[in-house]
Amino acid sequence: KQEVTQIPAALSVPEGENLVLNCSFTDSAIYNLQWFRQDPGKGLTSLLLIQSSQREQTSGRLNASLDKSSGRSTLYIAASQPGDSATYLCACISSGSARQLTFGSGTQLTVLP
Amino acid sequence: KAGVTQTPRYLIKTRGQQVTLSCSPISGHRSVSWYQQTPGQGLQFLFEYFSETQRNKGNFPGRFSGRQFSNSRSEMNVSTLELGDSALYLCASSLGLAATTDTQYFGPGTRLTVL
């Protein structure tokens, strides 16, 4: 059974800092891995999807990497802004679980002005 | 293009009642998945529908059921509500084709409170 872990659970950084969020998964047989952000009381916003054959994806100030062999993904946020404050979730679809996304518990990010 | 919409946004029910939640996917998307989010358990998969058929199911009791209509809109029903069913219920839509490239887009959720 796939398990996804995100460490740390919470992170606070000053504005302008570059930061890395970590995600690890136990079963490397995945179709893809997605990063989402969730604002308080809201739904999830898809940030990046990395296919199993890819090593990284970029969108603006965001860069996500995937290392299937070690069961890890990272989300790099450049030049952080207060508007980046949210909970960041990673989730993967495992090849043995059809289309079910298995989520980590998230990292709550606070960017201080 | 309109995003995923969910109605109602908030619901208050009492134990023993039943509830129906609705989800309208992005136009052209044929897959709708439902998730339950609670502070203790995080996000957990309920089920997925594709072309009016349940294609995948999570580990929830039979009180949780769903269906999908020919226009891809989906409903989720919870019968005999329990206090532990209080949660944010999220639906996600996708094209539902290749799993490798299938990005799931989430709605704003329905906040269910069971008293």
Side-chain angles (χ1 to χ4, degrees):
Chain A
K1 181 190 166 190
Q2 181 73 271
E3 291 182 6
V4 179
T5 304
Q6 291 184 251
I7 294 173
L11 180 64
S12 184
V13 301
E15 182 177 3
E17 200 162 284
N18 303 325
L19 59 101
V20 174
L21 305 180
N22 296 298
C23 171
S24 62
F25 47 95
T26 55
D27 184 355
S28 62
I30 62 171
Y31 283 122
N32 64 47
L33 186 141
Q34 273 189 261
W35 282 92
F36 298 89
R37 87 172 257 168
Q38 185 173 32
D39 293 284
K42 303 283 182 64
L44 277 62
T45 300
S46 177
L47 297 173
L48 289 164
L49 178 146
I50 311 177
Q51 299 175 36
S52 59
S53 59
Q54 297 175 324
R55 295 293 298 230
E56 64 179 310
Q57 280 288 337
T58 298
S59 176
R61 295 184 293 110
L62 305 179
N63 175 278
S65 68
L66 175 65
D67 183 344
K68 277 186 14 176
S69 62
S70 66
R72 289 195 207 173
S73 176
T74 61
L75 179 67
Y76 173 83
I77 302 177
S80 58
Q81 303 169 357
D84 294 331
S85 297
T87 296
Y88 289 81
L89 296 141
C90 70
C92 59
I93 293 182
S94 305
S95 57
S97 66
R99 292 163 187 283
Q100 171 182 338
L101 276 168
T102 301
F103 282 87
S105 52
T107 294
Q108 187 174 354
L109 173 66
T110 302
V111 181
L112 303 169
Chain B
K1 210 177 205 182
V4 179
T5 58
Q6 292 187 246
T7 57
R9 294 293 313 279
Y10 302 92
L11 266 178
I12 300 176
K13 292 285 187 179
T14 56
R15 278 183 299 174
Q17 287 187 310
Q18 75 166 25
V19 66
T20 299
L21 313 181
S22 180
C23 172
S24 292
I26 292 171
S27 177
H29 285 189
R30 292 162 64 190
S31 170
V32 173
S33 298
W34 289 88
Y35 292 83
Q36 181 195 66
Q37 186 177 29
T38 60
Q41 299 295 319
L43 274 149
Q44 294 185 289
F45 173 78
L46 282 154
F47 30 65
E48 184 228 0
Y49 285 86
F50 179 79
S51 292
E52 301 179 67
T53 301
Q54 187 180 87
R55 189 162 64 172
N56 196 18
K57 188 177 187 306
N59 295 322
F60 276 80
R63 300 186 297 106
F64 293 82
S65 63
R67 59 178 175 167
Q68 187 180 34
F69 302 95
S70 58
N71 61 359
S72 294
R73 189 177 70 86
S74 177
E75 287 182 347
M76 188 191 101
N77 185 76
V78 188
S79 63
T80 319
L81 284 166
E82 301 177 358
L83 294 178
D85 297 333
S86 294
L88 181 66
Y89 289 89
L90 294 161
C91 85
S93 83
S94 69
L95 291 171
L97 302 175
T100 305
T101 57
D102 208 28
T103 301
Q104 296 201 24
Y105 297 92
F106 282 77
T110 294
R111 171 75 63 185
L112 172 65
T113 302
V114 182
L115 302 176

